[in-house]
Amino acid sequence: GDLDKVVNLLLSLSGRLARVENALNSLGPHTSTEDKVALREKKRQLAAQLEDAKELKEHVGRREKVVGAMVARYLRDEHLQDYQHFVKMKSALITEQRELEEKIKLGQEQLRCLQESL
C-alpha cells in the first residue's frame, strides 16, 4: 500500500513540475512579473516536494527489503520468487497505469479542443 502511494506521489509531483516548467518556458514578454515569480516559486516548491518524495521512496525501499527478508523465512523458493516478482511488477504497473491515464486525459482534452474549434 505504501509503495502505491509513494509511486503515485512521485508521478504526480513530477507531472506537476513538468507542467510548471512548460508554463515557465512558454511565458511571453508581456507576462507580469508577479506571474513569473509565482511560477518560479511553485517550481521551487514542487522540486523540494519531489526530493522529499524520493527520500520517502528510499525509506519504503529499505522497509521493503526488511519485509522481504522476513517473508523469505516463511515461504518456499517458488512462492518467494512469486512474491518478489509481484512487488517488482506492482510499481511498474502503477507507473504504466498512470501514464495511460495521462494519455487518455490528454486525448480527451485534444478532442474537446477540436470539437470547440468546429
Side-chain angles (χ1 to χ4, degrees):
D2 289 345
L3 180 62
D4 292 351
K5 292 173 187 170
V6 171
V7 170
N8 279 323
L9 178 63
L10 283 167
L11 291 171
S12 175
L13 288 171
S14 61
R16 290 173 58 198
L17 183 58
R19 285 192 292 278
V20 169
E21 287 174 341
N22 286 340
L24 275 169
N25 291 334
S26 65
L27 290 178
H30 303 296
T31 305
S32 72
T33 305
E34 291 130 11
D35 289 344
K36 290 177 185 178
V37 169
L39 280 173
R40 287 187 189 120
E41 178 61 19
K42 183 85 166 174
K43 179 182 175 182
R44 186 193 64 73
Q45 288 176 346
L46 287 170
Q49 288 174 347
L50 186 59
E51 286 305 312
D52 291 344
K54 286 177 182 178
E55 289 177 19
L56 190 58
K57 185 171 186 325
E58 289 174 10
H59 175 71
V60 169
R62 287 190 299 271
R63 201 172 74 205
E64 178 185 324
K65 287 180 184 178
V66 170
V67 171
M70 290 171 53
V71 168
R73 292 185 208 149
Y74 298 100
L75 295 179
R76 295 190 309 254
D77 282 343
E78 64 217 31
H79 291 128
L80 180 60
Q81 288 174 356
D82 288 343
Y83 167 79
Q84 291 168 337
H85 178 72
F86 170 77
V87 170
K88 211 180 287 183
M89 291 304 298
K90 187 170 185 170
S91 179
L93 290 173
I94 291 168
T95 303
E96 187 175 339
Q97 177 186 8
R98 185 67 175 245
E99 289 172 356
L100 289 172
E101 288 170 354
E102 288 291 322
K103 287 179 182 179
I104 289 169
K105 186 177 177 181
L106 177 62
Q108 289 171 338
E109 286 178 23
Q110 290 174 336
L111 182 60
R112 184 183 49 78
C113 289
L114 282 173
Q115 288 172 338
E116 287 175 1
S117 69
L118 295 176

